[in-house]
Amino acid sequence: PLHQKEYLINGEIKHAEGATQKVFSPVCIEKDGTLTQVELGSFPLLTEKEAFEAMDAAANAYKNGTGEWPMMQVDQRIKAVEKFTWKMKEKKWEVVNMLMWETGKPLKDSEKEFDRTVEYINDTINALKILDRKSSRFEIEQGIIGKVRRGPLGVVLCMGPYNYPLNETFTTLIPALIMGNTIVFKPAKIGVLLHRPLLEAFRECFPKGVVNIVYGRGRATVGPLMSTGKIDVLAFIGTSKSANVLKSQHPKPNRLRSVLALEAKNPGIVLPHADLDNAVKECLLGSLSFNGQRCTALKIIFVHNKIKDQFIQKFVTELDKLKRGMPWEDGVSITPLPEPEKPGYLTDLIKDAESKGAKVVNPNGGAICNTYFNPAILFPVDSSMKIFHEEQFGPAVPVVAFDDVQEPIDYIVNSNYGQQVSLFGSDSQELAYLVDRLVNQVCRVNINSQCQRGPDVFPFNGRKDSAEGTLSVEDALRAFSIRTIVAAKE
Ligand code: G3H
């Protein structure tokens, strides 16, 4: 087990003395005749005191924009981030393995998450070079020449989610950093130890206080930080509820900028003339990759009444072929769930739907075996059921039958969320009609393919409760900076 004591404040790796939190893998092994979750180690439960030290260090390094890091030339900051990336790559397998053990994410996908993160950093560096070049001289009006300079915003509090604890965290941390901001980073409640191998690299590659990493409970650490009013940017990926709590703790809302990627309830809409094989394949992957624990997962599927029976039959047949197993096994899709409370929550959603007329249509759907949760396909789901509205973030798939395409349109228009939608059909007029009605509701309309964030250079955003600001490379660079125009009279 990795009993981590270290944390990073003001360029110094410190050793925590106080309480610690044990970390268990969702993976179970047999011990004394019973199955128990593998103990992976522990991390320190830091307090308000250390959190304030981290914030003071970040504020001192920023020094109201006059610090070494915010004043540094862009190419020098790029060099520091490049050095960090090399060091990060040296630690690849330590990070990937811990990511797999902590979250239960299949090994191949954990590796993909790592590689994708490195690629994202490289893309960010390239985008910054272009952005920097774009800020060349231009004429504001006759006799006045302008030049745009992009500057940082201050101290950024970065917090990522447990489902993509590396990638999603770094898609805010890296652009914030490279634009000259200073950082306080607190990992999510699950996916903490995987950051340990990178602590030294952060210390070596950036000036004192530019990156500070704290561990512990949100209430004891980041809550008090927000209350000081000294956090300039909240970069948070997680639930809307947590984002709202954090934002409400800041005493000066007008001084806080937020970059948020939050919840979603992305629907799939399967139209009568859809290619069924493709629709089933995409809906299956879209709803159940990494056990449905993706903000971009399809979380409700609307199927036209004419094809509902064939769709469900095929869906159940294909679902049966998905391999369940340990995350390191080849070709595995369904793996143990890392959140202890998730199986109980999903069971409640299923019971609620069953009590109102839906059925679990696949054999053993919803069966629990330790940390495994066998995916459940629920049909017919309607608006009286909780799973129609709530973001389940797990392997339960509600299927709704519709006659008139206005029904799923109304669902999306009235939803609290607005991230993406997937349309499955072959009638181009019908698809075009839907696209026209949905472009003002979501931020990405996928046709005949599942919802997804990637490629990461794409804008990643959402309407309503799904997001605030836009991520993904160039957009993220803009999100963590502000333009200043230098206007000179000739
Ligand atoms: O949880 C949200 C992730 O950004 C989803 O990314 O669509 O590539 O799995 P993905």
Side-chain angles (χ1 to χ4, degrees):
L2 171 62
H3 291 295
Q4 181 186 337
K5 294 271 179 201
E6 304 81 4
Y7 58 103
L8 177 66
I9 291 184
N10 206 26
E12 213 184 304
I13 293 190
K14 302 195 175 220
H15 290 256
E17 301 284 330
T20 56
Q21 165 90 52
K22 279 189 178 171
V23 179
F24 291 95
S25 172
V27 170
C28 294
I29 49 159
E30 204 178 312
K31 207 173 160 190
D32 307 326
T34 47
L35 280 176
T36 43
Q37 286 180 244
V38 177
E39 191 181 333
L40 296 176
S42 58
F43 62 84
L45 287 175
L46 300 180
T47 62
E48 207 175 280
K49 179 178 163 285
E50 291 89 5
F52 284 143
E53 281 170 15
M55 192 188 61
D56 289 344
N60 280 336
Y62 190 68
K63 254 195 211 96
N64 287 329
T66 67
E68 178 192 355
W69 185 249
M71 292 295 286
M72 196 180 272
Q73 293 293 317
V74 169
D75 56 344
Q76 292 304 307
R77 286 205 298 261
I78 287 177
K79 274 200 184 120
V81 173
E82 279 171 343
K83 185 174 167 196
F84 174 77
T85 317
W86 297 325
K87 295 203 168 284
M88 181 178 162
K89 285 200 269 188
E90 285 166 14
K91 301 286 180 185
K92 172 170 171 172
W93 288 107
E94 280 176 62
V95 176
V96 168
N97 278 319
M98 194 50 96
L99 173 56
M100 178 194 79
W101 281 101
E102 281 189 279
T103 65
K105 182 174 284 194
L107 182 61
K108 246 170 116 188
D109 294 338
S110 299
E111 185 184 4
K112 213 190 274 171
E113 178 168 345
F114 186 94
D115 293 344
R116 173 179 176 177
T117 306
V118 169
E119 195 181 321
Y120 179 88
I121 301 175
N122 292 333
D123 287 343
T124 301
I125 290 171
N126 291 334
L128 180 56
K129 287 178 184 165
I130 296 168
L131 200 65
D132 207 37
R133 243 179 274 137
K134 271 192 206 157
S135 67
S136 53
R137 284 156 54 89
F138 64 97
E139 191 175 66
I140 296 177
E141 61 181 59
Q142 211 182 0
I144 301 189
I145 297 299
K147 191 168 161 66
V148 176
R149 297 271 290 265
R150 266 195 178 270
L153 299 162
V155 176
V156 181
L157 174 61
C158 278
M159 296 166 74
Y162 82 85
N163 62 333
Y164 279 89
L166 181 74
N167 181 259
E168 297 246 308
T169 302
F170 278 37
T171 58
T172 61
L173 194 153
I174 295 294
L177 188 57
I178 209 164
M179 290 313 291
N181 301 282
T182 60
I183 312 286
V184 177
F185 162 41
K186 193 192 85 65
K189 61 177 180 179
I190 299 167
V192 179
L193 297 179
L194 66 100
H195 294 286
R196 171 66 187 90
L198 304 178
L199 217 56
E200 190 57 37
F202 274 119
R203 191 193 67 77
E204 268 182 53
C205 299
F206 302 105
K208 264 175 36 178
V210 168
V211 180
N212 306 277
I213 307 181
V214 293
Y215 302 90
R217 301 207 171 96
R219 230 170 295 147
T221 55
V222 291
L225 292 194
M226 290 302 288
S227 313
T228 62
K230 291 182 186 167
I231 297 294
D232 300 296
V233 186
L234 171 66
F236 177 82
I237 301 179
T239 65
S240 316
K241 192 174 155 204
S242 306
N244 288 337
V245 169
L246 285 165
K247 280 173 74 171
S248 70
Q249 285 164 333
H250 198 288
K252 297 178 197 153
N254 59 318
R255 292 284 291 270
L256 178 72
R257 187 184 278 206
S258 301
V259 181
L260 311 172
L262 306 170
E263 294 159 24
K265 182 92 180 168
N266 294 341
I269 305 177
V270 187
L271 299 163
H273 304 295
D275 168 347
L276 259 197
D277 286 344
N278 178 62
V280 165
K281 185 177 135 239
E282 293 291 321
C283 286
L284 194 65
L285 289 175
S287 57
L288 291 172
S289 300
F290 190 32
N291 306 301
Q293 302 167 113
R294 295 160 59 228
C295 60
T296 47
L298 287 174
K299 298 198 180 100
I300 187 161
I301 300 175
F302 289 85
V303 186
H304 195 275
N305 254 319
K306 278 190 190 153
I307 49 161
K308 65 170 196 289
D309 294 334
Q310 300 101 292
F311 179 87
I312 286 173
Q313 202 182 14
K314 252 187 203 301
F315 199 89
V316 170
T317 309
E318 292 305 310
L319 169 62
D320 204 38
K321 296 180 194 161
L322 284 191
K323 190 171 162 188
R324 282 94 170 135
M326 291 297 178
W328 54 85
E329 288 173 31
D330 258 358
V332 74
S333 297
I334 307 299
T335 52
L337 298 181
E339 284 184 298
E341 63 280 11
K342 191 52 71 70
Y345 169 66
L346 294 173
T347 304
D348 286 349
L349 286 180
I350 292 170
K351 280 191 185 150
D352 169 76
E354 284 177 329
S355 73
K356 292 165 184 166
K359 283 195 169 57
V360 174
V361 294
N362 57 314
N364 287 325
I368 298 172
C369 178
N370 297 301
T371 49
Y372 272 106
F373 190 93
N374 203 34
I377 314 306
L378 280 160
F379 181 78
V381 165
D382 66 41
S383 61
S384 68
M385 302 167 192
K386 282 198 227 163
I387 199 163
F388 187 84
H389 309 277
E390 287 180 27
E391 187 200 34
Q392 67 273 36
F393 216 81
V397 187
V399 182
V400 184
F402 71 91
D403 278 316
D404 186 340
V405 86
Q406 194 57 40
E407 295 166 43
I409 294 176
D410 287 344
Y411 176 84
I412 296 168
V413 172
N414 296 320
S415 169
N416 288 329
Y417 307 115
Q419 193 197 60
Q420 299 192 17
V421 62
S422 284
L423 309 177
F424 298 93
S426 59
D427 177 336
S428 49
Q429 270 187 352
E430 194 173 20
L431 287 169
Y433 174 85
L434 272 166
V435 170
D436 283 346
R437 259 124 215 99
L438 296 175
V439 284
N440 291 350
Q441 306 301 327
V442 294
C443 286
R444 177 161 161 174
V445 180
N446 303 279
I447 298 177
N448 292 322
S449 64
Q450 58 168 307
C451 297
Q452 58 179 320
R453 173 178 179 160
D456 290 341
V457 287
F458 270 34
F460 182 51
N461 48 3
R463 296 167 185 269
K464 303 183 215 172
D465 289 346
S466 285
E468 199 172 316
T470 301
L471 285 174
S472 297
V473 186
E474 191 177 328
D475 291 296
L477 293 173
R478 293 181 194 280
F480 290 103
S481 62
I482 192 159
R483 279 181 303 177
T484 299
I485 296 174
V486 182
K489 202 166 175 187
E490 281 192 311

